[in-house]
Every structure is written in structure tokens, then in C-alpha cells.
């Protein structure tokens, strides 16, 4: 009985120390004191390596630290952050949020194929939020200059979540990039372009992309000037009218 009591007290003491270290790490992370956060989360991970949330926040701390560094130091911190995400996923492989955050970190490290794979895993694990994950995938593809995969991702986001307004807008922008212009100066967008912007405005009439969507619709309805006319030539053209 004395031995069991002692073991229980040791476990409680360990849990308290673990909680103290974790809470200290969270406070430091929220204050963007990344070095202190790393130290506290590392201490917590040494007490209990099965706490996936500790590894995940340790990853966040390293990624945050990387943002404040350059060159080799930045790369080293980024690699440590990616390593910590892997550890979190080893303990909790079915956590969609970890796959999503890991993907965003991979994208920052310019590891786009790996990021794409992680976002697809997140979408499979959490289909209810699949639209958001596919949208993130589209944004990553845009940032890497991969237009076609980006368009497919935004389209997929709309398919799984038809009310995802931002996905409609970004899909419209993808289609605009594929528009052609006739010799007469008429813009010919691919089918569905106007509908994408109109759908965005229907879902979020006061959204952050509302003005841009309205401007795009106006542009799509107008003619563009395909040749330069001097002020004198413009006056003559007006007189002829």
C-alpha cells in the first residue's frame, strides 16, 4: 500500500510538472517568445513522449522561430519544426489539423508535393472540412506558380462545399488567367468565369473580395483597347461618332 501510494504521488507530481511545462510553453508561444517556448515544450516532451499536443506545439514554436531567422539558421529551425510535426503525427495520425498545419509548414519550406499529399490526407480524414483543406491546397499551388493544379483544387473545394465563397472567387481568378482576347478586343473568359464571381457575391456580398469580384465582372463585360490612339486621334474618333 505504501509503495502504491508513493507511485501515485510520483505520477501526480510528474503530471503537475508536465502541465506546468506545457502551460509555460503556451504562454511563451502566444507571446512569440519562441526560444522560451521551445525550451518548455522540449521539457514537456521529455516527461511524456506520448503527448501529441506537445509535439504539435513544439513544431509551431520551431516554425515561428524560423520566421525570425535567415539562411542556414532559418533552414535548421524549419527542419526541426517539420520533424516535430512528424512526431505529433506518429502519436496521432488521424488528426486532420496536424496534417493541415504540417502541409502549410512544408509549403513554407517549398516542399510542395509533400504539402499536397498532407492536405489530401487531411481532407480524407475530415471530410466535413475538406473544402477548407482543398482551398489551402489551391493557395499553395498558386504560390508555387502551378496554375492548373490550383484550379483543380479550388474546383474540388467547391464540389465538396458549394457554399465556400472564397473558393468560388479563387476559381474565378483561375479562369480569368485562361481568358483569351479577340482581334476586336473582346475578352472571352472560359465558361463559368462570370458565374464564379457572381456566386461569390451572392454568398459574401460584403466579403474581402467583393470589390475585386465586381471589378472583374465589369472588366469581363467591357471591350479593351488593342491599339494606342494619340489624344488627337481620339478626338477625331469621337467627332466621327
Amino acid at each position: 500500500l505504501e509503495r502504491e501510494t508513493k507511485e501515485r504521488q510520483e505520477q501526480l507530481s510528474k503530471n503537475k510538472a508536465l502541465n506546468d511545462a506545457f502551460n509555460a510553453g503556451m504562454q511563451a508561444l502566444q507571446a512569440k517568445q519562441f526560444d522560451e517556448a521551445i525550451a518548455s515544450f522540449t521539457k514537456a516532451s521529455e516527461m511524456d513522449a506520448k503527448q501529441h499536443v506537445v509535439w504539435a506545439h513544439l513544431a509551431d514554436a520551431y516554425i515561428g522561430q524560423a520566421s525570425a531567422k535567415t539562411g542556414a539558421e532559418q533552414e535548421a529551425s524549419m527542419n526541426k519544426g517539420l520533424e516535430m510535426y512528424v512526431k505529433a503525427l506518429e502519436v496521432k495520425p488521424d488528426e486532420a489539423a496536424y496534417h493541415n498545419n504540417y502541409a502549410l509548414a512544408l509549403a513554407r519550406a517549398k516542399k510542395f508535393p509533400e504539402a499536397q499529399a498532407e492536405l489530401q490526407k487531411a481532407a480524407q480524414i475530415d471530410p466535413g472540412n475538406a473544402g477548407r483543406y482543398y482551398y489551402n491546397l489551391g493557395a499553395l499551388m498558386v504560390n508555387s506558380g502551378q496554375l492548373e493544379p490550383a484550379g483543380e483544387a479550388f474546383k474540388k473545394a467547391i464540389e465538396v462545399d458549394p457554399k465556400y465563397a472564397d473558393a468560388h472567387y479563387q476559381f474565378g481568378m483561375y479562369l480569368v488567367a485562361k481568358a483569351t482576347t479577340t482581334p476586336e478586343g473582346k475578352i472571352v473568359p472560359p465558361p463559368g468565369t462570370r458565374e464564379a464571381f457572381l456566386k461569390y457575391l451572392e454568398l459574401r456580398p460584403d466579403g474581402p473580395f467583393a470589390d475585386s469580384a465586381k471589378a472583374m465582372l465589369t472588366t469581363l463585360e467591357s471591350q479593351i483597347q488593342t491599339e494606342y490612339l494619340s489624344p488627337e486621334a481620339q478626338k477625331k474618333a469621337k467627332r466621327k461618332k
Side-chain angles (χ1 to χ4, degrees), residues 25 27-42 57-69 77 108:
Q27 290 178 1
L29 184 60
Q30 290 168 1
K32 296 186 178 181
Q33 297 171 343
F34 300 117
D35 292 348
E36 291 83 350
I38 289 170
S40 294
F41 287 132
T42 298
H57 284 94
L58 181 55
D60 293 340
Y62 272 115
I63 299 301
Q65 185 188 62
S67 65
K69 295 183 179 295
S77 294
R108 289 182 59 181

PDB file of all heavy atoms in Angstrom, residues 25 27-42 57-69 77 108:
ATOM      1  N   GLY A  25       5.079  26.811 -21.942  1.00  0.00           N
ATOM      2  CA  GLY A  25       5.332  26.825 -23.383  1.00  0.00           C
ATOM      3  C   GLY A  25       4.248  27.556 -24.138  1.00  0.00           C
ATOM      4  O   GLY A  25       4.527  28.331 -25.061  1.00  0.00           O
ATOM      5  N   GLN A  27       2.247  29.948 -22.999  1.00  0.00           N
ATOM      6  CA  GLN A  27       2.351  31.382 -22.736  1.00  0.00           C
ATOM      7  C   GLN A  27       3.457  32.018 -23.576  1.00  0.00           C
ATOM      8  O   GLN A  27       3.291  33.100 -24.139  1.00  0.00           O
ATOM      9  CB  GLN A  27       2.606  31.612 -21.242  1.00  0.00           C
ATOM     10  CG  GLN A  27       1.408  31.296 -20.358  1.00  0.00           C
ATOM     11  CD  GLN A  27       1.702  31.491 -18.883  1.00  0.00           C
ATOM     12  OE1 GLN A  27       2.807  31.885 -18.520  1.00  0.00           O
ATOM     13  NE2 GLN A  27       0.732  31.206 -18.030  1.00  0.00           N
ATOM     14  N   ALA A  28       4.591  31.328 -23.654  1.00  0.00           N
ATOM     15  CA  ALA A  28       5.708  31.851 -24.438  1.00  0.00           C
ATOM     16  C   ALA A  28       5.366  31.867 -25.927  1.00  0.00           C
ATOM     17  O   ALA A  28       5.696  32.820 -26.643  1.00  0.00           O
ATOM     18  CB  ALA A  28       6.964  31.011 -24.189  1.00  0.00           C
ATOM     19  N   LEU A  29       4.692  30.825 -26.393  1.00  0.00           N
ATOM     20  CA  LEU A  29       4.326  30.749 -27.806  1.00  0.00           C
ATOM     21  C   LEU A  29       3.369  31.871 -28.179  1.00  0.00           C
ATOM     22  O   LEU A  29       3.518  32.511 -29.223  1.00  0.00           O
ATOM     23  CB  LEU A  29       3.704  29.388 -28.107  1.00  0.00           C
ATOM     24  CG  LEU A  29       3.342  29.093 -29.571  1.00  0.00           C
ATOM     25  CD1 LEU A  29       4.580  29.153 -30.460  1.00  0.00           C
ATOM     26  CD2 LEU A  29       2.668  27.733 -29.688  1.00  0.00           C
ATOM     27  N   GLN A  30       2.382  32.116 -27.324  1.00  0.00           N
ATOM     28  CA  GLN A  30       1.418  33.183 -27.590  1.00  0.00           C
ATOM     29  C   GLN A  30       2.076  34.557 -27.581  1.00  0.00           C
ATOM     30  O   GLN A  30       1.642  35.472 -28.283  1.00  0.00           O
ATOM     31  CB  GLN A  30       0.296  33.121 -26.555  1.00  0.00           C
ATOM     32  CG  GLN A  30      -0.604  31.898 -26.732  1.00  0.00           C
ATOM     33  CD  GLN A  30      -1.539  31.675 -25.560  1.00  0.00           C
ATOM     34  OE1 GLN A  30      -1.537  32.444 -24.598  1.00  0.00           O
ATOM     35  NE2 GLN A  30      -2.343  30.616 -25.630  1.00  0.00           N
ATOM     36  N   ALA A  31       3.146  34.682 -26.798  1.00  0.00           N
ATOM     37  CA  ALA A  31       3.882  35.946 -26.744  1.00  0.00           C
ATOM     38  C   ALA A  31       4.971  36.016 -27.812  1.00  0.00           C
ATOM     39  O   ALA A  31       5.733  36.986 -27.865  1.00  0.00           O
ATOM     40  CB  ALA A  31       4.514  36.117 -25.360  1.00  0.00           C
ATOM     41  N   LYS A  32       5.034  34.984 -28.658  1.00  0.00           N
ATOM     42  CA  LYS A  32       6.030  34.879 -29.719  1.00  0.00           C
ATOM     43  C   LYS A  32       7.460  34.885 -29.174  1.00  0.00           C
ATOM     44  O   LYS A  32       8.394  35.353 -29.822  1.00  0.00           O
ATOM     45  CB  LYS A  32       5.846  36.006 -30.753  1.00  0.00           C
ATOM     46  CG  LYS A  32       4.510  35.922 -31.480  1.00  0.00           C
ATOM     47  CD  LYS A  32       4.398  36.955 -32.587  1.00  0.00           C
ATOM     48  CE  LYS A  32       3.072  36.816 -33.324  1.00  0.00           C
ATOM     49  NZ  LYS A  32       2.937  37.784 -34.433  1.00  0.00           N
ATOM     50  N   GLN A  33       7.598  34.325 -27.992  1.00  0.00           N
ATOM     51  CA  GLN A  33       8.922  34.120 -27.396  1.00  0.00           C
ATOM     52  C   GLN A  33       9.320  32.675 -27.727  1.00  0.00           C
ATOM     53  O   GLN A  33       9.225  31.770 -26.902  1.00  0.00           O
ATOM     54  CB  GLN A  33       8.870  34.369 -25.887  1.00  0.00           C
ATOM     55  CG  GLN A  33       8.491  35.801 -25.523  1.00  0.00           C
ATOM     56  CD  GLN A  33       8.219  35.987 -24.046  1.00  0.00           C
ATOM     57  OE1 GLN A  33       8.011  35.023 -23.310  1.00  0.00           O
ATOM     58  NE2 GLN A  33       8.226  37.230 -23.600  1.00  0.00           N
ATOM     59  N   PHE A  34       9.743  32.488 -28.951  1.00  0.00           N
ATOM     60  CA  PHE A  34       9.881  31.139 -29.482  1.00  0.00           C
ATOM     61  C   PHE A  34      10.988  30.330 -28.812  1.00  0.00           C
ATOM     62  O   PHE A  34      10.828  29.117 -28.616  1.00  0.00           O
ATOM     63  CB  PHE A  34      10.110  31.215 -30.993  1.00  0.00           C
ATOM     64  CG  PHE A  34       8.985  31.882 -31.729  1.00  0.00           C
ATOM     65  CD1 PHE A  34       9.190  33.064 -32.438  1.00  0.00           C
ATOM     66  CD2 PHE A  34       7.711  31.355 -31.704  1.00  0.00           C
ATOM     67  CE1 PHE A  34       8.151  33.684 -33.108  1.00  0.00           C
ATOM     68  CE2 PHE A  34       6.658  31.968 -32.366  1.00  0.00           C
ATOM     69  CZ  PHE A  34       6.874  33.136 -33.073  1.00  0.00           C
ATOM     70  N   ASP A  35      12.079  30.951 -28.451  1.00  0.00           N
ATOM     71  CA  ASP A  35      13.149  30.210 -27.785  1.00  0.00           C
ATOM     72  C   ASP A  35      12.659  29.643 -26.455  1.00  0.00           C
ATOM     73  O   ASP A  35      12.929  28.477 -26.128  1.00  0.00           O
ATOM     74  CB  ASP A  35      14.360  31.116 -27.554  1.00  0.00           C
ATOM     75  CG  ASP A  35      15.050  31.530 -28.843  1.00  0.00           C
ATOM     76  OD1 ASP A  35      14.727  30.927 -29.891  1.00  0.00           O
ATOM     77  OD2 ASP A  35      15.890  32.445 -28.814  1.00  0.00           O
ATOM     78  N   GLU A  36      11.939  30.473 -25.673  1.00  0.00           N
ATOM     79  CA  GLU A  36      11.411  30.017 -24.389  1.00  0.00           C
ATOM     80  C   GLU A  36      10.355  28.926 -24.597  1.00  0.00           C
ATOM     81  O   GLU A  36      10.292  27.956 -23.835  1.00  0.00           O
ATOM     82  CB  GLU A  36      10.803  31.188 -23.623  1.00  0.00           C
ATOM     83  CG  GLU A  36      11.814  32.211 -23.125  1.00  0.00           C
ATOM     84  CD  GLU A  36      12.205  33.234 -24.191  1.00  0.00           C
ATOM     85  OE1 GLU A  36      11.837  33.036 -25.382  1.00  0.00           O
ATOM     86  OE2 GLU A  36      12.869  34.216 -23.833  1.00  0.00           O
ATOM     87  N   ALA A  37       9.545  29.085 -25.622  1.00  0.00           N
ATOM     88  CA  ALA A  37       8.517  28.085 -25.910  1.00  0.00           C
ATOM     89  C   ALA A  37       9.156  26.742 -26.257  1.00  0.00           C
ATOM     90  O   ALA A  37       8.711  25.684 -25.787  1.00  0.00           O
ATOM     91  CB  ALA A  37       7.633  28.559 -27.059  1.00  0.00           C
ATOM     92  N   ILE A  38      10.194  26.788 -27.060  1.00  0.00           N
ATOM     93  CA  ILE A  38      10.888  25.552 -27.443  1.00  0.00           C
ATOM     94  C   ILE A  38      11.460  24.859 -26.211  1.00  0.00           C
ATOM     95  O   ILE A  38      11.346  23.633 -26.052  1.00  0.00           O
ATOM     96  CB  ILE A  38      11.997  25.860 -28.464  1.00  0.00           C
ATOM     97  CG1 ILE A  38      11.370  26.230 -29.813  1.00  0.00           C
ATOM     98  CG2 ILE A  38      12.944  24.659 -28.623  1.00  0.00           C
ATOM     99  CD1 ILE A  38      12.358  26.788 -30.818  1.00  0.00           C
ATOM    100  N   ALA A  39      12.051  25.631 -25.326  1.00  0.00           N
ATOM    101  CA  ALA A  39      12.641  25.052 -24.118  1.00  0.00           C
ATOM    102  C   ALA A  39      11.576  24.377 -23.257  1.00  0.00           C
ATOM    103  O   ALA A  39      11.770  23.255 -22.760  1.00  0.00           O
ATOM    104  CB  ALA A  39      13.367  26.134 -23.323  1.00  0.00           C
ATOM    105  N   SER A  40      10.435  25.031 -23.074  1.00  0.00           N
ATOM    106  CA  SER A  40       9.365  24.480 -22.226  1.00  0.00           C
ATOM    107  C   SER A  40       8.718  23.252 -22.855  1.00  0.00           C
ATOM    108  O   SER A  40       8.486  22.238 -22.179  1.00  0.00           O
ATOM    109  CB  SER A  40       8.318  25.555 -21.951  1.00  0.00           C
ATOM    110  OG  SER A  40       8.847  26.607 -21.181  1.00  0.00           O
ATOM    111  N   PHE A  41       8.413  23.319 -24.154  1.00  0.00           N
ATOM    112  CA  PHE A  41       7.786  22.174 -24.811  1.00  0.00           C
ATOM    113  C   PHE A  41       8.746  20.988 -24.898  1.00  0.00           C
ATOM    114  O   PHE A  41       8.325  19.829 -24.789  1.00  0.00           O
ATOM    115  CB  PHE A  41       7.295  22.561 -26.206  1.00  0.00           C
ATOM    116  CG  PHE A  41       6.074  23.444 -26.199  1.00  0.00           C
ATOM    117  CD1 PHE A  41       6.028  24.596 -26.973  1.00  0.00           C
ATOM    118  CD2 PHE A  41       4.965  23.127 -25.436  1.00  0.00           C
ATOM    119  CE1 PHE A  41       4.907  25.412 -26.977  1.00  0.00           C
ATOM    120  CE2 PHE A  41       3.834  23.936 -25.427  1.00  0.00           C
ATOM    121  CZ  PHE A  41       3.799  25.078 -26.196  1.00  0.00           C
ATOM    122  N   THR A  42      10.023  21.276 -25.081  1.00  0.00           N
ATOM    123  CA  THR A  42      11.011  20.198 -25.103  1.00  0.00           C
ATOM    124  C   THR A  42      11.045  19.497 -23.741  1.00  0.00           C
ATOM    125  O   THR A  42      11.097  18.264 -23.658  1.00  0.00           O
ATOM    126  CB  THR A  42      12.405  20.747 -25.444  1.00  0.00           C
ATOM    127  OG1 THR A  42      12.376  21.328 -26.749  1.00  0.00           O
ATOM    128  CG2 THR A  42      13.448  19.640 -25.415  1.00  0.00           C
ATOM    129  N   HIS A  57       2.750  21.617 -30.722  1.00  0.00           N
ATOM    130  CA  HIS A  57       3.081  22.987 -30.346  1.00  0.00           C
ATOM    131  C   HIS A  57       4.584  23.239 -30.377  1.00  0.00           C
ATOM    132  O   HIS A  57       5.017  24.372 -30.646  1.00  0.00           O
ATOM    133  CB  HIS A  57       2.512  23.304 -28.964  1.00  0.00           C
ATOM    134  CG  HIS A  57       1.038  23.550 -28.977  1.00  0.00           C
ATOM    135  ND1 HIS A  57       0.117  22.567 -28.734  1.00  0.00           N
ATOM    136  CD2 HIS A  57       0.331  24.677 -29.238  1.00  0.00           C
ATOM    137  CE1 HIS A  57      -1.105  23.077 -28.830  1.00  0.00           C
ATOM    138  NE2 HIS A  57      -1.005  24.347 -29.138  1.00  0.00           N
ATOM    139  N   LEU A  58       5.353  22.210 -30.135  1.00  0.00           N
ATOM    140  CA  LEU A  58       6.806  22.346 -30.288  1.00  0.00           C
ATOM    141  C   LEU A  58       7.132  22.629 -31.753  1.00  0.00           C
ATOM    142  O   LEU A  58       8.013  23.443 -32.067  1.00  0.00           O
ATOM    143  CB  LEU A  58       7.510  21.087 -29.800  1.00  0.00           C
ATOM    144  CG  LEU A  58       9.042  21.074 -29.861  1.00  0.00           C
ATOM    145  CD1 LEU A  58       9.640  22.269 -29.126  1.00  0.00           C
ATOM    146  CD2 LEU A  58       9.582  19.767 -29.285  1.00  0.00           C
ATOM    147  N   ALA A  59       6.407  21.961 -32.645  1.00  0.00           N
ATOM    148  CA  ALA A  59       6.572  22.224 -34.079  1.00  0.00           C
ATOM    149  C   ALA A  59       6.234  23.671 -34.402  1.00  0.00           C
ATOM    150  O   ALA A  59       6.976  24.354 -35.120  1.00  0.00           O
ATOM    151  CB  ALA A  59       5.690  21.273 -34.886  1.00  0.00           C
ATOM    152  N   ASP A  60       5.119  24.153 -33.864  1.00  0.00           N
ATOM    153  CA  ASP A  60       4.718  25.547 -34.098  1.00  0.00           C
ATOM    154  C   ASP A  60       5.791  26.517 -33.611  1.00  0.00           C
ATOM    155  O   ASP A  60       6.062  27.540 -34.255  1.00  0.00           O
ATOM    156  CB  ASP A  60       3.407  25.847 -33.373  1.00  0.00           C
ATOM    157  CG  ASP A  60       2.224  25.090 -33.958  1.00  0.00           C
ATOM    158  OD1 ASP A  60       2.316  24.654 -35.116  1.00  0.00           O
ATOM    159  OD2 ASP A  60       1.206  24.946 -33.243  1.00  0.00           O
ATOM    160  N   ALA A  61       6.391  26.195 -32.463  1.00  0.00           N
ATOM    161  CA  ALA A  61       7.425  27.074 -31.909  1.00  0.00           C
ATOM    162  C   ALA A  61       8.651  27.122 -32.813  1.00  0.00           C
ATOM    163  O   ALA A  61       9.224  28.196 -33.045  1.00  0.00           O
ATOM    164  CB  ALA A  61       7.820  26.597 -30.515  1.00  0.00           C
ATOM    165  N   TYR A  62       9.043  25.979 -33.348  1.00  0.00           N
ATOM    166  CA  TYR A  62      10.196  25.957 -34.250  1.00  0.00           C
ATOM    167  C   TYR A  62       9.896  26.696 -35.559  1.00  0.00           C
ATOM    168  O   TYR A  62      10.757  27.413 -36.086  1.00  0.00           O
ATOM    169  CB  TYR A  62      10.618  24.518 -34.552  1.00  0.00           C
ATOM    170  CG  TYR A  62      11.597  23.942 -33.563  1.00  0.00           C
ATOM    171  CD1 TYR A  62      11.252  22.864 -32.746  1.00  0.00           C
ATOM    172  CD2 TYR A  62      12.889  24.464 -33.445  1.00  0.00           C
ATOM    173  CE1 TYR A  62      12.157  22.326 -31.833  1.00  0.00           C
ATOM    174  CE2 TYR A  62      13.805  23.931 -32.540  1.00  0.00           C
ATOM    175  CZ  TYR A  62      13.435  22.868 -31.739  1.00  0.00           C
ATOM    176  OH  TYR A  62      14.334  22.349 -30.828  1.00  0.00           O
ATOM    177  N   ILE A  63       8.680  26.526 -36.069  1.00  0.00           N
ATOM    178  CA  ILE A  63       8.305  27.224 -37.301  1.00  0.00           C
ATOM    179  C   ILE A  63       8.296  28.729 -37.048  1.00  0.00           C
ATOM    180  O   ILE A  63       8.744  29.524 -37.885  1.00  0.00           O
ATOM    181  CB  ILE A  63       6.926  26.753 -37.804  1.00  0.00           C
ATOM    182  CG1 ILE A  63       6.942  25.258 -38.123  1.00  0.00           C
ATOM    183  CG2 ILE A  63       6.515  27.550 -39.034  1.00  0.00           C
ATOM    184  CD1 ILE A  63       7.939  24.833 -39.174  1.00  0.00           C
ATOM    185  N   GLY A  64       7.786  29.133 -35.892  1.00  0.00           N
ATOM    186  CA  GLY A  64       7.811  30.541 -35.531  1.00  0.00           C
ATOM    187  C   GLY A  64       9.219  31.072 -35.399  1.00  0.00           C
ATOM    188  O   GLY A  64       9.537  32.180 -35.834  1.00  0.00           O
ATOM    189  N   GLN A  65      10.090  30.274 -34.809  1.00  0.00           N
ATOM    190  CA  GLN A  65      11.491  30.664 -34.665  1.00  0.00           C
ATOM    191  C   GLN A  65      12.142  30.843 -36.037  1.00  0.00           C
ATOM    192  O   GLN A  65      12.931  31.772 -36.248  1.00  0.00           O
ATOM    193  CB  GLN A  65      12.247  29.595 -33.874  1.00  0.00           C
ATOM    194  CG  GLN A  65      13.699  29.956 -33.559  1.00  0.00           C
ATOM    195  CD  GLN A  65      14.446  28.791 -32.939  1.00  0.00           C
ATOM    196  OE1 GLN A  65      14.606  27.748 -33.563  1.00  0.00           O
ATOM    197  NE2 GLN A  65      14.897  28.974 -31.694  1.00  0.00           N
ATOM    198  N   ALA A  66      11.782  29.972 -36.970  1.00  0.00           N
ATOM    199  CA  ALA A  66      12.344  30.050 -38.318  1.00  0.00           C
ATOM    200  C   ALA A  66      11.992  31.360 -38.997  1.00  0.00           C
ATOM    201  O   ALA A  66      12.789  31.919 -39.761  1.00  0.00           O
ATOM    202  CB  ALA A  66      11.851  28.878 -39.155  1.00  0.00           C
ATOM    203  N   SER A  67      10.784  31.879 -38.716  1.00  0.00           N
ATOM    204  CA  SER A  67      10.350  33.127 -39.350  1.00  0.00           C
ATOM    205  C   SER A  67      11.193  34.317 -38.905  1.00  0.00           C
ATOM    206  O   SER A  67      11.208  35.344 -39.577  1.00  0.00           O
ATOM    207  CB  SER A  67       8.875  33.390 -39.026  1.00  0.00           C
ATOM    208  OG  SER A  67       8.701  33.620 -37.637  1.00  0.00           O
ATOM    209  N   ALA A  68      11.873  34.174 -37.778  1.00  0.00           N
ATOM    210  CA  ALA A  68      12.692  35.277 -37.262  1.00  0.00           C
ATOM    211  C   ALA A  68      14.167  35.108 -37.616  1.00  0.00           C
ATOM    212  O   ALA A  68      15.002  35.896 -37.181  1.00  0.00           O
ATOM    213  CB  ALA A  68      12.531  35.378 -35.747  1.00  0.00           C
ATOM    214  N   LYS A  69      14.485  34.090 -38.395  1.00  0.00           N
ATOM    215  CA  LYS A  69      15.878  33.826 -38.749  1.00  0.00           C
ATOM    216  C   LYS A  69      16.064  33.853 -40.258  1.00  0.00           C
ATOM    217  O   LYS A  69      15.094  33.941 -41.023  1.00  0.00           O
ATOM    218  CB  LYS A  69      16.321  32.469 -38.187  1.00  0.00           C
ATOM    219  CG  LYS A  69      16.337  32.407 -36.661  1.00  0.00           C
ATOM    220  CD  LYS A  69      16.835  31.081 -36.147  1.00  0.00           C
ATOM    221  CE  LYS A  69      16.881  31.023 -34.628  1.00  0.00           C
ATOM    222  NZ  LYS A  69      17.862  31.970 -34.072  1.00  0.00           N
ATOM    223  N   SER A  77      15.875  25.613 -38.173  1.00  0.00           N
ATOM    224  CA  SER A  77      14.660  25.711 -37.352  1.00  0.00           C
ATOM    225  C   SER A  77      13.458  25.135 -38.092  1.00  0.00           C
ATOM    226  O   SER A  77      12.618  24.440 -37.502  1.00  0.00           O
ATOM    227  CB  SER A  77      14.390  27.176 -36.980  1.00  0.00           C
ATOM    228  OG  SER A  77      15.390  27.680 -36.134  1.00  0.00           O
ATOM    229  N   ARG A 108       5.920  26.322 -46.773  1.00  0.00           N
ATOM    230  CA  ARG A 108       6.872  27.382 -46.448  1.00  0.00           C
ATOM    231  C   ARG A 108       8.298  26.933 -46.746  1.00  0.00           C
ATOM    232  O   ARG A 108       9.156  27.746 -47.087  1.00  0.00           O
ATOM    233  CB  ARG A 108       6.741  27.783 -44.978  1.00  0.00           C
ATOM    234  CG  ARG A 108       5.472  28.547 -44.671  1.00  0.00           C
ATOM    235  CD  ARG A 108       5.410  28.977 -43.217  1.00  0.00           C
ATOM    236  NE  ARG A 108       6.535  29.832 -42.839  1.00  0.00           N
ATOM    237  CZ  ARG A 108       6.723  30.321 -41.635  1.00  0.00           C
ATOM    238  NH1 ARG A 108       5.868  30.030 -40.671  1.00  0.00           N
ATOM    239  NH2 ARG A 108       7.754  31.099 -41.368  1.00  0.00           N
TER     240      ARG A 108
END
